Amino acid sequence: MKLHMLIACAMSAALLPWASSAHAGVIAAVDFGLAGSSALETDASPNGGTFAEWALSSANTAVATQTFDGVTVTFPSARGRNRGGPANTGSFTYSNLLRDLFTNLNTTSTGTTFSLTGLTPDTPYEVRIWSQDNGYNNGAPYNWYDTTAGTSALIGSITNVQPASSSSLPNNLAFSIAATVTSDASGQLTFGQTDDKGLGTINGLEISTVNVPLDWGALIGSLAPNGRLHVVGAVLEPIPVAAFSLILGQKSVSGSPSGSPVGM
């Protein structure tokens, strides 16, 4: 009996513009704002996701929590604010993302400003965070920390510019930081933020899966004689295959852009 194996790989719109999902790795993207006057960012997130809106009132909210595509985002303290800008200019099109925000956060470098739960345990993720206040706190450094392991690991610092101008808005990554972080054994990530006013600011969040290398030799070795390894989607790195391992068992490797029976 032949033993075949199917590997489904994340597909990027840059490589496969016809893919049904713009970026299979995006888990959630959130636009934070003020209830009643928020404006959802409709442009795609950097990895190709779709922003979901989360708006809070201007009154301080203790333990604000909401779930997006299976991932629960929780703030021990937060309230919504609308700063009315900045305007889109050139390659910057995230006006709606930065115009409003959550503030009055639990600012800390060792505890929890916000947490993510419902993730796969002990798994790396890419997290991108936007922090910009267009009406307050000019020149403030917004420092973000990964506090998942109970320690304080600085993952990035954003210097606020108020009001933001075209020179400080070169593209949609302006006023954001990104880092690869690993969830704990319960599938949780926690982050802390500090600034010089002790208020905290967050405009947007994107969380994506991270491509990790596969043990291709072990996968091919698990095939029965005459077995076939079939790859669906785009593999971002070359697949290292030893010819000897294919010849001995008369095994093969194939690929297709979709998982349809015709393509396979």
Side-chain angles (χ1 to χ4, degrees):
M1 177 185 295
K2 295 181 181 179
L3 176 62
H4 299 303
M5 184 178 299
L6 176 68
I7 302 294
C9 299
M11 293 180 286
S12 168
L15 297 175
L16 303 174
W18 41 261
S20 59
S21 173
H23 190 289
V26 178
I27 298 173
V30 186
D31 180 358
F32 304 105
L34 174 65
S37 65
S38 62
L40 175 64
E41 180 54 64
T42 56
D43 278 9
S45 67
N47 283 333
T50 300
F51 282 104
E53 185 177 35
W54 185 8
L56 292 177
S57 74
S58 59
N60 195 58
T61 302
V63 191
T65 184
Q66 192 158 322
T67 299
F68 303 89
D69 296 318
V71 177
T72 299
V73 186
T74 301
F75 289 85
S77 174
R79 67 169 177 157
R81 295 300 299 269
N82 184 347
R83 298 306 195 192
N88 289 331
T89 175
S91 297
F92 172 76
T93 63
Y94 276 6
S95 175
N96 284 342
L97 185 69
L98 297 189
R99 73 188 294 269
D100 45 12
L101 50 94
F102 283 3
T103 186
N104 283 64
L105 308 179
N106 178 44
T107 53
T108 174
S109 62
T110 57
T112 302
T113 297
F114 77 92
S115 65
L116 305 172
T117 57
L119 302 168
T120 303
D122 302 314
T123 300
Y125 292 92
E126 179 188 278
V127 173
R128 181 173 292 278
I129 301 168
W130 286 262
S131 292
Q132 194 267 340
D133 190 325
N134 205 52
Y136 184 68
N137 226 8
N138 184 46
Y142 295 130
N143 303 310
W144 283 100
Y145 304 85
D146 175 12
T147 60
T148 305
T151 58
S152 177
L154 180 67
I155 59 175
S157 183
I158 303 166
T159 300
N160 188 47
V161 176
Q162 174 266 318
S165 61
S166 58
S167 62
S168 60
L169 298 166
N171 52 49
N172 288 337
L173 302 184
F175 300 106
S176 75
I177 56 102
T180 298
V181 291
T182 301
S183 60
D184 65 14
S186 68
Q188 175 174 268
L189 286 166
T190 60
F191 300 91
Q193 185 196 45
T194 61
D195 65 25
D196 60 353
K197 303 295 184 183
L199 294 175
T201 294
I202 185 169
N203 309 80
L205 168 71
E206 180 192 58
I207 179 168
S208 308
T209 55
V210 175
N211 289 315
V212 295
L214 296 174
D215 189 343
W216 295 102
L219 292 173
I220 293 173
S222 66
L223 294 172
N226 299 305
R228 177 164 60 103
L229 174 68
H230 187 83
V231 179
V232 176
V235 181
L236 301 183
E237 297 180 355
I239 300 176
V241 178
F244 193 68
S245 65
L246 298 178
I247 294 170
L248 278 183
Q250 294 186 324
K251 302 173 184 179
S252 63
V253 177
S254 60
S256 63
S258 69
S260 69
V262 175
M264 296 170 59

